[in-house]
Amino acid sequence: MLATPLIGCAARSAHGGADSAAVHTASKTGAHAAKAAKPATLLAQAPSSAEPTDLAPPPDIFDAQALDLEFWLKPRVLSVTRPASGEKAKILYWKDGEVIDSAYQELCHLMRDVNGKETAPIDPKLFETLWGTQAFVARYGMDHPLEILSGYRTPNSNKKLIEAGVPAARQSLHITGRAADIRIPNLNAEVLGGLVRSFRQGGVGFYYREGPRGGWIHADTGLKRTWKG
């Protein structure tokens, strides 16, 4: 097992080609794989009126610390969608230990402020967490694109959200390109958040909401902390 599972993503590649390719992310888990869980624990459900106040960890099927080194050395493809703009993309952004610069730029554009239309550099460690989350659940047949509900925000956009009563911190890490609000269709928000938290790379916020799409998870590369919003 790896004490620190996220590796080798900070370096940029010099080859800058527009490399995009699909990679088969569902692989055999081997001796270090986590145990199987009942499908019922993975499905998205509307929160009950008696929502528990504690943040108990999810089943250990979704514990990133169970990943082996081979998982982190294979090429990384992020499949994402932005519901706010209708954009979809499947991008190979990391290969042979290096970030592909053109692909990184494309991902930063996808993570832009969809209100202000401005783009900013995104912390590469955030992409590691997003990719790791998506690749992990794909092992169990859940290969939906990762929904990016919010990525980079301009200070002005963040201020407008606060004024509208939307949960947003005044010094939000979204402003510095270090946070994303995400969702995976049909995956319970608590299980998704528990997986993101198990990467141990920053803060995780659990936002439960009723409705067909359920809530979302805030993931960032700041201090390790957990909250419910």
PDB file of all heavy atoms in Angstrom, residues 128-148:
ATOM      1  N   GLU A 128      -5.167  15.147 -10.042  1.00  0.00           N
ATOM      2  CA  GLU A 128      -4.827  13.807  -9.566  1.00  0.00           C
ATOM      3  C   GLU A 128      -5.976  13.207  -8.769  1.00  0.00           C
ATOM      4  O   GLU A 128      -6.345  12.045  -8.936  1.00  0.00           O
ATOM      5  CB  GLU A 128      -3.575  13.860  -8.692  1.00  0.00           C
ATOM      6  CG  GLU A 128      -2.285  14.076  -9.457  1.00  0.00           C
ATOM      7  CD  GLU A 128      -1.070  13.983  -8.535  1.00  0.00           C
ATOM      8  OE1 GLU A 128      -1.211  14.247  -7.326  1.00  0.00           O
ATOM      9  OE2 GLU A 128       0.008  13.641  -9.023  1.00  0.00           O
ATOM     10  N   THR A 129      -6.544  14.014  -7.878  1.00  0.00           N
ATOM     11  CA  THR A 129      -7.655  13.535  -7.059  1.00  0.00           C
ATOM     12  C   THR A 129      -8.865  13.204  -7.918  1.00  0.00           C
ATOM     13  O   THR A 129      -9.515  12.177  -7.730  1.00  0.00           O
ATOM     14  CB  THR A 129      -8.024  14.572  -5.995  1.00  0.00           C
ATOM     15  OG1 THR A 129      -6.904  14.804  -5.139  1.00  0.00           O
ATOM     16  CG2 THR A 129      -9.181  14.101  -5.151  1.00  0.00           C
ATOM     17  N   LEU A 130      -9.183  14.078  -8.881  1.00  0.00           N
ATOM     18  CA  LEU A 130     -10.339  13.846  -9.742  1.00  0.00           C
ATOM     19  C   LEU A 130     -10.146  12.588 -10.579  1.00  0.00           C
ATOM     20  O   LEU A 130     -11.051  11.763 -10.707  1.00  0.00           O
ATOM     21  CB  LEU A 130     -10.574  15.063 -10.644  1.00  0.00           C
ATOM     22  CG  LEU A 130     -10.867  16.400  -9.941  1.00  0.00           C
ATOM     23  CD1 LEU A 130     -11.168  17.481 -10.970  1.00  0.00           C
ATOM     24  CD2 LEU A 130     -11.995  16.258  -8.941  1.00  0.00           C
ATOM     25  N   TRP A 131      -8.940  12.454 -11.166  1.00  0.00           N
ATOM     26  CA  TRP A 131      -8.691  11.260 -11.968  1.00  0.00           C
ATOM     27  C   TRP A 131      -8.711  10.002 -11.102  1.00  0.00           C
ATOM     28  O   TRP A 131      -9.316   8.990 -11.468  1.00  0.00           O
ATOM     29  CB  TRP A 131      -7.345  11.346 -12.692  1.00  0.00           C
ATOM     30  CG  TRP A 131      -7.017  10.038 -13.362  1.00  0.00           C
ATOM     31  CD1 TRP A 131      -7.496   9.592 -14.573  1.00  0.00           C
ATOM     32  CD2 TRP A 131      -6.217   8.975 -12.836  1.00  0.00           C
ATOM     33  NE1 TRP A 131      -7.033   8.328 -14.822  1.00  0.00           N
ATOM     34  CE2 TRP A 131      -6.250   7.914 -13.777  1.00  0.00           C
ATOM     35  CE3 TRP A 131      -5.482   8.820 -11.671  1.00  0.00           C
ATOM     36  CZ2 TRP A 131      -5.568   6.723 -13.578  1.00  0.00           C
ATOM     37  CZ3 TRP A 131      -4.793   7.630 -11.477  1.00  0.00           C
ATOM     38  CH2 TRP A 131      -4.844   6.595 -12.424  1.00  0.00           C
ATOM     39  N   GLY A 132      -8.037  10.051  -9.969  1.00  0.00           N
ATOM     40  CA  GLY A 132      -7.987   8.884  -9.093  1.00  0.00           C
ATOM     41  C   GLY A 132      -9.369   8.431  -8.681  1.00  0.00           C
ATOM     42  O   GLY A 132      -9.678   7.236  -8.658  1.00  0.00           O
ATOM     43  N   THR A 133     -10.239   9.393  -8.384  1.00  0.00           N
ATOM     44  CA  THR A 133     -11.611   9.071  -8.001  1.00  0.00           C
ATOM     45  C   THR A 133     -12.342   8.371  -9.138  1.00  0.00           C
ATOM     46  O   THR A 133     -12.981   7.326  -8.954  1.00  0.00           O
ATOM     47  CB  THR A 133     -12.360  10.359  -7.613  1.00  0.00           C
ATOM     48  OG1 THR A 133     -11.712  10.957  -6.484  1.00  0.00           O
ATOM     49  CG2 THR A 133     -13.812  10.074  -7.269  1.00  0.00           C
ATOM     50  N   GLN A 134     -12.247   8.944 -10.321  1.00  0.00           N
ATOM     51  CA  GLN A 134     -12.948   8.372 -11.470  1.00  0.00           C
ATOM     52  C   GLN A 134     -12.399   6.998 -11.845  1.00  0.00           C
ATOM     53  O   GLN A 134     -13.155   6.056 -12.102  1.00  0.00           O
ATOM     54  CB  GLN A 134     -12.836   9.316 -12.658  1.00  0.00           C
ATOM     55  CG  GLN A 134     -13.630   8.856 -13.877  1.00  0.00           C
ATOM     56  CD  GLN A 134     -13.627   9.909 -14.966  1.00  0.00           C
ATOM     57  OE1 GLN A 134     -12.576  10.336 -15.415  1.00  0.00           O
ATOM     58  NE2 GLN A 134     -14.803  10.337 -15.373  1.00  0.00           N
ATOM     59  N   ALA A 135     -11.075   6.855 -11.862  1.00  0.00           N
ATOM     60  CA  ALA A 135     -10.461   5.581 -12.235  1.00  0.00           C
ATOM     61  C   ALA A 135     -10.753   4.499 -11.209  1.00  0.00           C
ATOM     62  O   ALA A 135     -10.923   3.327 -11.549  1.00  0.00           O
ATOM     63  CB  ALA A 135      -8.950   5.761 -12.401  1.00  0.00           C
ATOM     64  N   PHE A 136     -10.845   4.879  -9.943  1.00  0.00           N
ATOM     65  CA  PHE A 136     -11.124   3.903  -8.891  1.00  0.00           C
ATOM     66  C   PHE A 136     -12.522   3.319  -9.058  1.00  0.00           C
ATOM     67  O   PHE A 136     -12.705   2.101  -9.060  1.00  0.00           O
ATOM     68  CB  PHE A 136     -10.982   4.564  -7.522  1.00  0.00           C
ATOM     69  CG  PHE A 136     -10.874   3.588  -6.377  1.00  0.00           C
ATOM     70  CD1 PHE A 136      -9.729   3.543  -5.598  1.00  0.00           C
ATOM     71  CD2 PHE A 136     -11.901   2.714  -6.067  1.00  0.00           C
ATOM     72  CE1 PHE A 136      -9.617   2.650  -4.537  1.00  0.00           C
ATOM     73  CE2 PHE A 136     -11.805   1.817  -5.021  1.00  0.00           C
ATOM     74  CZ  PHE A 136     -10.656   1.777  -4.257  1.00  0.00           C
ATOM     75  N   VAL A 137     -13.535   4.168  -9.203  1.00  0.00           N
ATOM     76  CA  VAL A 137     -14.902   3.649  -9.295  1.00  0.00           C
ATOM     77  C   VAL A 137     -15.133   2.921 -10.614  1.00  0.00           C
ATOM     78  O   VAL A 137     -16.009   2.051 -10.714  1.00  0.00           O
ATOM     79  CB  VAL A 137     -15.958   4.761  -9.096  1.00  0.00           C
ATOM     80  CG1 VAL A 137     -15.808   5.401  -7.725  1.00  0.00           C
ATOM     81  CG2 VAL A 137     -15.870   5.819 -10.187  1.00  0.00           C
ATOM     82  N   ALA A 138     -14.331   3.254 -11.648  1.00  0.00           N
ATOM     83  CA  ALA A 138     -14.463   2.557 -12.926  1.00  0.00           C
ATOM     84  C   ALA A 138     -14.115   1.080 -12.787  1.00  0.00           C
ATOM     85  O   ALA A 138     -14.585   0.247 -13.555  1.00  0.00           O
ATOM     86  CB  ALA A 138     -13.574   3.204 -13.987  1.00  0.00           C
ATOM     87  N   ARG A 139     -13.300   0.757 -11.795  1.00  0.00           N
ATOM     88  CA  ARG A 139     -12.960  -0.645 -11.541  1.00  0.00           C
ATOM     89  C   ARG A 139     -14.195  -1.469 -11.187  1.00  0.00           C
ATOM     90  O   ARG A 139     -14.211  -2.680 -11.331  1.00  0.00           O
ATOM     91  CB  ARG A 139     -11.978  -0.740 -10.372  1.00  0.00           C
ATOM     92  CG  ARG A 139     -10.574  -0.244 -10.670  1.00  0.00           C
ATOM     93  CD  ARG A 139      -9.716  -0.313  -9.415  1.00  0.00           C
ATOM     94  NE  ARG A 139      -8.315  -0.518  -9.745  1.00  0.00           N
ATOM     95  CZ  ARG A 139      -7.415  -0.906  -8.864  1.00  0.00           C
ATOM     96  NH1 ARG A 139      -7.763  -1.140  -7.618  1.00  0.00           N
ATOM     97  NH2 ARG A 139      -6.157  -1.073  -9.223  1.00  0.00           N
ATOM     98  N   TYR A 140     -15.221  -0.789 -10.720  1.00  0.00           N
ATOM     99  CA  TYR A 140     -16.436  -1.477 -10.291  1.00  0.00           C
ATOM    100  C   TYR A 140     -17.585  -1.237 -11.274  1.00  0.00           C
ATOM    101  O   TYR A 140     -18.750  -1.364 -10.929  1.00  0.00           O
ATOM    102  CB  TYR A 140     -16.813  -1.019  -8.875  1.00  0.00           C
ATOM    103  CG  TYR A 140     -15.712  -1.342  -7.894  1.00  0.00           C
ATOM    104  CD1 TYR A 140     -14.696  -0.433  -7.638  1.00  0.00           C
ATOM    105  CD2 TYR A 140     -15.649  -2.588  -7.281  1.00  0.00           C
ATOM    106  CE1 TYR A 140     -13.654  -0.741  -6.776  1.00  0.00           C
ATOM    107  CE2 TYR A 140     -14.614  -2.911  -6.423  1.00  0.00           C
ATOM    108  CZ  TYR A 140     -13.616  -1.980  -6.170  1.00  0.00           C
ATOM    109  OH  TYR A 140     -12.576  -2.293  -5.327  1.00  0.00           O
ATOM    110  N   GLY A 141     -17.222  -0.900 -12.512  1.00  0.00           N
ATOM    111  CA  GLY A 141     -18.215  -0.770 -13.563  1.00  0.00           C
ATOM    112  C   GLY A 141     -18.923   0.567 -13.608  1.00  0.00           C
ATOM    113  O   GLY A 141     -19.858   0.741 -14.394  1.00  0.00           O
ATOM    114  N   MET A 142     -18.500   1.532 -12.802  1.00  0.00           N
ATOM    115  CA  MET A 142     -19.146   2.846 -12.792  1.00  0.00           C
ATOM    116  C   MET A 142     -18.277   3.802 -13.608  1.00  0.00           C
ATOM    117  O   MET A 142     -17.405   4.502 -13.077  1.00  0.00           O
ATOM    118  CB  MET A 142     -19.321   3.324 -11.352  1.00  0.00           C
ATOM    119  CG  MET A 142     -20.033   2.308 -10.479  1.00  0.00           C
ATOM    120  SD  MET A 142     -20.294   2.848  -8.771  1.00  0.00           S
ATOM    121  CE  MET A 142     -21.740   3.851  -8.983  1.00  0.00           C
ATOM    122  N   ASP A 143     -18.500   3.805 -14.912  1.00  0.00           N
ATOM    123  CA  ASP A 143     -17.626   4.564 -15.808  1.00  0.00           C
ATOM    124  C   ASP A 143     -18.283   5.832 -16.352  1.00  0.00           C
ATOM    125  O   ASP A 143     -18.017   6.256 -17.468  1.00  0.00           O
ATOM    126  CB  ASP A 143     -17.152   3.673 -16.958  1.00  0.00           C
ATOM    127  CG  ASP A 143     -18.313   3.046 -17.731  1.00  0.00           C
ATOM    128  OD1 ASP A 143     -19.480   3.264 -17.329  1.00  0.00           O
ATOM    129  OD2 ASP A 143     -18.045   2.348 -18.722  1.00  0.00           O
ATOM    130  N   HIS A 144     -19.132   6.448 -15.555  1.00  0.00           N
ATOM    131  CA  HIS A 144     -19.762   7.701 -15.976  1.00  0.00           C
ATOM    132  C   HIS A 144     -18.734   8.843 -15.979  1.00  0.00           C
ATOM    133  O   HIS A 144     -17.790   8.830 -15.185  1.00  0.00           O
ATOM    134  CB  HIS A 144     -20.894   8.076 -15.011  1.00  0.00           C
ATOM    135  CG  HIS A 144     -21.960   7.036 -14.895  1.00  0.00           C
ATOM    136  ND1 HIS A 144     -22.867   6.782 -15.902  1.00  0.00           N
ATOM    137  CD2 HIS A 144     -22.268   6.183 -13.892  1.00  0.00           C
ATOM    138  CE1 HIS A 144     -23.690   5.822 -15.517  1.00  0.00           C
ATOM    139  NE2 HIS A 144     -23.336   5.433 -14.307  1.00  0.00           N
ATOM    140  N   PRO A 145     -18.938   9.848 -16.831  1.00  0.00           N
ATOM    141  CA  PRO A 145     -18.065  11.025 -16.767  1.00  0.00           C
ATOM    142  C   PRO A 145     -18.203  11.714 -15.407  1.00  0.00           C
ATOM    143  O   PRO A 145     -19.262  11.654 -14.770  1.00  0.00           O
ATOM    144  CB  PRO A 145     -18.601  11.926 -17.887  1.00  0.00           C
ATOM    145  CG  PRO A 145     -19.315  10.993 -18.815  1.00  0.00           C
ATOM    146  CD  PRO A 145     -19.895   9.924 -17.948  1.00  0.00           C
ATOM    147  N   LEU A 146     -17.151  12.348 -14.978  1.00  0.00           N
ATOM    148  CA  LEU A 146     -17.166  13.107 -13.738  1.00  0.00           C
ATOM    149  C   LEU A 146     -17.823  14.454 -14.018  1.00  0.00           C
ATOM    150  O   LEU A 146     -17.391  15.186 -14.901  1.00  0.00           O
ATOM    151  CB  LEU A 146     -15.730  13.313 -13.249  1.00  0.00           C
ATOM    152  CG  LEU A 146     -15.532  13.874 -11.852  1.00  0.00           C
ATOM    153  CD1 LEU A 146     -15.879  12.831 -10.799  1.00  0.00           C
ATOM    154  CD2 LEU A 146     -14.088  14.317 -11.679  1.00  0.00           C
ATOM    155  N   GLU A 147     -18.865  14.774 -13.294  1.00  0.00           N
ATOM    156  CA  GLU A 147     -19.548  16.051 -13.489  1.00  0.00           C
ATOM    157  C   GLU A 147     -18.834  17.145 -12.688  1.00  0.00           C
ATOM    158  O   GLU A 147     -18.671  17.026 -11.476  1.00  0.00           O
ATOM    159  CB  GLU A 147     -21.009  15.963 -13.057  1.00  0.00           C
ATOM    160  CG  GLU A 147     -21.840  15.026 -13.915  1.00  0.00           C
ATOM    161  CD  GLU A 147     -23.320  15.057 -13.545  1.00  0.00           C
ATOM    162  OE1 GLU A 147     -23.708  15.883 -12.687  1.00  0.00           O
ATOM    163  OE2 GLU A 147     -24.085  14.246 -14.101  1.00  0.00           O
ATOM    164  N   ILE A 148     -18.400  18.195 -13.378  1.00  0.00           N
ATOM    165  CA  ILE A 148     -17.773  19.339 -12.727  1.00  0.00           C
ATOM    166  C   ILE A 148     -18.837  20.424 -12.594  1.00  0.00           C
ATOM    167  O   ILE A 148     -19.186  21.104 -13.559  1.00  0.00           O
ATOM    168  CB  ILE A 148     -16.578  19.877 -13.541  1.00  0.00           C
ATOM    169  CG1 ILE A 148     -15.566  18.766 -13.830  1.00  0.00           C
ATOM    170  CG2 ILE A 148     -15.922  21.040 -12.796  1.00  0.00           C
ATOM    171  CD1 ILE A 148     -14.880  18.203 -12.618  1.00  0.00           C
TER     172      ILE A 148
END
